[in-house]
Amino acid sequence: MTRLEALEEYSRAQKQAQRSYREKIMDGQYPYLPALDDWLEKTSVEAQLPLGTIEIPLELVTGTKTAGRTAAFAANFMPLLPASSEFASKWVTLCQAHMEEGIHDPIRCYEYLGHFYVQEGNKRVSVLKYFGADSIPATVIRIVPPYSEAPQIRMYYEFMEFYPVCGLYTLNFTQEGSYARLQKALGKAPGQAWTDDDKADVVSLLNWVKKAYYAHGGEHMHTTAADVLLLLLRLYKLENLKAYTPGDLARAIDAIWDDVLALERPEPVTLSTQPAAPAEKSGGLLNRILPNKRAAGPDHLKVAFVNERTPETSTWTSQHEFGRTQLDMVFEGRVETVAYHGAEAGKNADDLVEQAIQEGADMVFTTSPKLVGASLRAALRHPQVRILNCSVDMPYASIRTYYTRVYEAKFITGAIAGVVSRGDRIGYVADTPTFGTPANINAFALGARMVNPRVKIDLQWTCLPSDPVRHFTEQGITVVSGRDAPSPNRPSREFGTFLIQPGGTLVDLASPFWHWGQFYENVVRTVLDGGWSRDKSGTDGRAVNYWWGMNSGVMDVLLSRELPHDVRHLADILRAGIISGSIDPFACHIVAQDGTLMNEGRTGFSPEQILHMDWLCDAVEGHIPGYEELTEVARPMYRMQGIHRDLLPAEKEADL
């Protein structure tokens, strides 16, 4: 490169600087490079750690160490000084050197909160940024801020802990725990150092993901390319992604775009608490003017159900099967259903969901939280197919999830138990501390206390190594809220709320009941009526979780014929009040076990507060077990739906 050609390059770089300067001024922003020393004057420093000479990403070189040279550069590191200046002459010389033999001498800089500030070598950085280089060698000193609970500081400390493992600055996440999740996604043990090949694979893949992500507008989003890479790695294996072409990656990112948008939101899941209103019938003003314009749904649907177990081995599956057959009867001629059983996550689940779609399914219900990964991957392959997974609070907008508000039924059975019990102690059997379970326990306790202010609920868990019913018998407790459905190898009456008579005979009192048929009818009718798109996941950047209750007909209470008429009358009053909205189980004075006032009683809680409840009211004796207390059988469900699943170490998280 001749000197004249290098001067022309300087002129172009200077124009970029002037454009950046004008834009910053117009936006009311500082138009020059920031100086790290100016910031450090306003904050304290925990330590300074030499990192040696390393390769650093140029996009993270964002300022200078001192204020001496800030005015020579615009905020984009392009030169502002006149072409006749000594500064410009040196820039031009470096430009020639870069084009002829490359710039190899390391700069000297400081790193603070993941960004680099140059002490020596600003013009080298400017030249390399102008020519679009990715990185530069640098001798780095890390400035460590004091620890605090601020999200930025927490994330930075998490990065510092992981940096010795990977040795990369290019991985910039926005979600806590992401570095450990990445380590797990790569199949590595906690703390296991990356090889040079590992680093090369991840950096190469990240660069391609970044290009595809930025082409989607990701450069202007809070979510980073590393966040998107981790999402892809949770759905696809590294070896598969490495074989993708740039076009394949672009299509993969397009397929998960709703899920990427969900990462942008502080609350990635929105709860749908009742079915969408049906599409407008013909006869409206628009239809009178344009009779052919209406919200049309499909004329025919094929609906597949993919179950983890079989109806013969699981009451849960048999209940969903009963709901499936209701679709056949209600929508005869318009809806065709088919069931696939025995789906195991990590084994044949993906194949069964794919088989259902290949055999013509327009809509797929997977009836276990463990099948959410298979559901997600199928949704990415087949965006035209409506896929729903029976789970709650799953932050994936490419599918929908569904469950019911069981706490409404528990409130009624609690009131029944409080009336029937001759003592002030009632037993409660909970399965696993998943989303909604503490709300169920509290609602039951509040229902019982409504009719007996002295009552105490003895809480026991099936996920712990104990026999709850034997415990209740030893304690002289005769009224128990047991499992919500019959279980294999347990007495047939040991579910719902029951009475233990002398001699150990169990008598049914009442039980929550899922009308899965009504739920599936509501959802399918929404599709047939053209109303599906009105609550489409991803339109506002959030995933949709159907969390319907008794007012939708999907949840109820079965009452035993053995109940006294007055007790049945009380249950009917409570049921009618919950359905109409005049009774809210949580719209009362509530104190937690630790004495904290949780509600003064003027209003109830929001659906999100109820679903994420992780405390017990003072009428409950017992505790919410942590992951380490659970039996091995119970841990997989906790990984998926546990109320504190986000606090689990990454190596214990569920695989999708």
Side-chain angles (χ1 to χ4, degrees), residues 221-241:
M221 295 171 64
H222 170 69
T223 302
T224 67
D227 292 325
V228 177
L229 172 61
L230 180 57
L231 183 57
L232 288 168
L233 284 170
R234 297 200 74 191
L235 295 169
Y236 306 101
K237 293 181 179 179
L238 175 63
E239 292 305 314
N240 294 335
L241 288 176

Side-chain angles (χ1 to χ4, degrees), residues 307-308 341-350 352 370-371:
N307 303 304
E308 184 181 2
H341 304 304
E344 292 187 58
K347 294 184 180 179
N348 65 335
D350 286 77
L352 282 179
K370 297 177 185 177
L371 302 180

